[in-house]
């Protein structure tokens, strides 16, 4: 380990092998940090932080801060960061409340500078959150989603897999999988073709996803009619079922289609 003598590290914190902790970083007692991590100068890792391996915590970041929730009564909760995840400058990740007990950021995520991840959020794997994006409590973001810089994500919202959200968006509805979301107010702008291509989706899969969303957004059907049409007109498959199940389980409702379509 390479721990600076100018860092403040509680002797009972559990620090893995080959961990670098720079001057003026602070590590509290109830903290676990996995192997090969780098905690940069002036980062603050508070009680309840659980950090995986190969993570980078940049200057000014605060992990496991007390939730900004008036219902929080001091219960013991955690903020859990997966493997190979980077928190850039001044990122804040609050720990959970009695609601779920944990705030989770998964593996291979990049949370860019000045972003906030509030209490009880669940961010899965391979997610990018752009600079200064603010994610409110109990939001769920699924694998391979990209939420661009300056977005505001309302509490309890859900963002599904392989989504791309335009910078500066205000998100108050659920965002279904594979979609490209933008404009103000936000609307469905197509599917995230670039992201899907990068992740190896075939032409057949891309065309199927496009066709399903045409049924949902451009055939003049309400959501109930569109879901029934999708169930009857398309054979069961991973892509179809993910879209259907996400929309059916949405309590906030999904983002609307563009009026230009």
């Amino acid at each position: 380990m390479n721990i600076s003598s100018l860092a403040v590290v509680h002797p009972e914190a559990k620090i893995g092998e080959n961990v670098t902790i720079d001057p003026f970083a602070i590590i509290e007692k109830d903290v676990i940090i996995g192997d090969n991590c780098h905690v940069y100068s002036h980062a603050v890792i508070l009680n309840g932080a659980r950090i995986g391996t190969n993570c980078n915590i940049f200057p000014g970041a605060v992990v496991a801060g007390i939730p900004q929730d008036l219902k929080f009564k001091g219960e013991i909760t955690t903020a859990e960061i997966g493997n190979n995840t980077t928190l850039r400058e001044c990122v804040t990740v609050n720990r959970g409340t009695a609601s779920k007990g944990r705030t989770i950021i998964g593996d291979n995520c990049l949370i860019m500078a000045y972003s906030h991840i509030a209490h009880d959020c669940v961010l899965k794997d391979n997610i990018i959150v752009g600079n200064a994006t603010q994610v409110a409590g109990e939001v769920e973001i699924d694998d391979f989603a990209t939420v661009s810089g300056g977005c505001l994500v309302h509490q309890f919202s859900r963002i599904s897999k392989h989504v791309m959200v335009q910078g500066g968006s205000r998100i108050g509805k659920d965002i279904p999988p594979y979609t490209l979301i933008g404009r103000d107010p936000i609307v469905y702008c197509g599917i995230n073709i670039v992201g899907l291509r990068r992740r190896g989706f075939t032409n057949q899969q891309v065309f199927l996803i496009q066709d399903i969303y045409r049924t949902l957004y451009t055939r003049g059907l309400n959501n109930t009619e569109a879901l029934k049409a999708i169930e009857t007109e398309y054979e069961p498959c991973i892509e179809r079922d993910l879209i259907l199940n996400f929309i059916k389980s949405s309590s906030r409702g999904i983002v609307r289609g563009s009026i230009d379509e």
Side-chain angles (χ1 to χ4, degrees), residues 18-208:
N18 194 35
V19 172
T20 298
I21 302 177
D22 288 346
F24 312 115
I26 297 174
I27 314 292
E28 290 195 335
K29 177 180 178 179
D30 182 21
V31 168
I32 300 173
I33 299 177
D35 299 343
N36 304 309
C37 289
H38 190 165
V39 180
Y40 287 77
S41 180
H42 297 286
V44 179
I45 315 297
L46 298 172
N47 288 325
R50 306 287 184 264
I51 298 173
T53 60
N54 302 303
C55 292
N56 291 286
I57 314 297
F58 273 73
V62 180
V63 180
I66 292 173
Q68 299 176 118
D69 183 344
L70 296 177
K71 298 186 297 299
F72 181 72
K73 302 301 181 184
E75 53 266 28
I76 297 174
T77 57
T78 58
E80 303 176 11
I81 313 297
N83 303 322
N84 309 306
T85 284
T86 294
L87 308 182
R88 290 301 304 250
E89 294 82 357
C90 300
V91 163
T92 53
V93 182
N94 289 169
R95 57 190 175 99
T97 69
S99 175
K100 292 181 179 176
R102 303 190 295 168
T103 302
I104 299 173
I105 299 177
D107 298 340
N108 307 306
C109 294
L110 171 59
I111 313 300
M112 295 187 188
Y114 298 96
S115 295
H116 174 65
I117 310 299
H119 64 89
D120 301 295
C121 286
V122 177
L123 280 62
K124 294 188 179 178
D125 300 335
N126 302 290
I127 289 167
I128 297 173
V129 175
N131 293 310
T133 286
Q134 309 298 299
V135 182
E138 305 198 43
V139 166
E140 298 179 10
I141 305 178
D142 211 339
D143 300 334
F144 292 102
T146 298
V147 182
S148 302
C151 289
L152 304 176
V153 187
H154 195 281
Q155 64 193 49
F156 302 109
S157 298
R158 298 187 305 151
I159 300 172
S160 191
K161 293 183 179 181
H162 302 286
V163 165
M164 167 65 80
V165 181
Q166 175 186 318
S169 296
R170 294 173 294 167
I171 301 166
K173 295 288 188 180
D174 291 346
I175 310 299
Y178 313 116
T179 56
L180 181 66
I181 301 299
R183 304 185 188 176
D184 185 20
I186 58 168
V187 293
Y188 166 81
C189 297
I191 70 167
N192 181 19
I193 293 178
V194 173
L196 296 180
R197 296 290 190 203
R198 287 174 178 170
R199 291 166 204 135
F201 280 68
T202 65
N203 286 338
Q204 183 179 8
Q205 289 172 301
V206 169
F207 296 155
L208 172 64

Side-chain angles (χ1 to χ4, degrees), residues 193-247:
I193 293 178
V194 173
L196 296 180
R197 296 290 190 203
R198 287 174 178 170
R199 291 166 204 135
F201 280 68
T202 65
N203 286 338
Q204 183 179 8
Q205 289 172 301
V206 169
F207 296 155
L208 172 64
I209 293 166
Q210 284 179 321
D211 207 39
I212 290 173
Y213 279 111
R214 290 190 190 100
T215 299
L216 180 64
Y217 283 119
T218 68
R219 282 174 51 177
L221 306 174
N222 63 36
N223 277 358
T224 301
E225 294 167 339
L227 291 175
K228 184 175 180 180
I230 293 167
E231 283 185 302
T232 57
E233 296 175 15
Y234 301 91
E235 293 294 325
C237 64
I238 293 173
E239 294 76 26
R240 186 207 77 154
D241 294 347
L242 180 61
I243 294 168
L244 280 175
N245 292 335
F246 183 89
I247 297 171

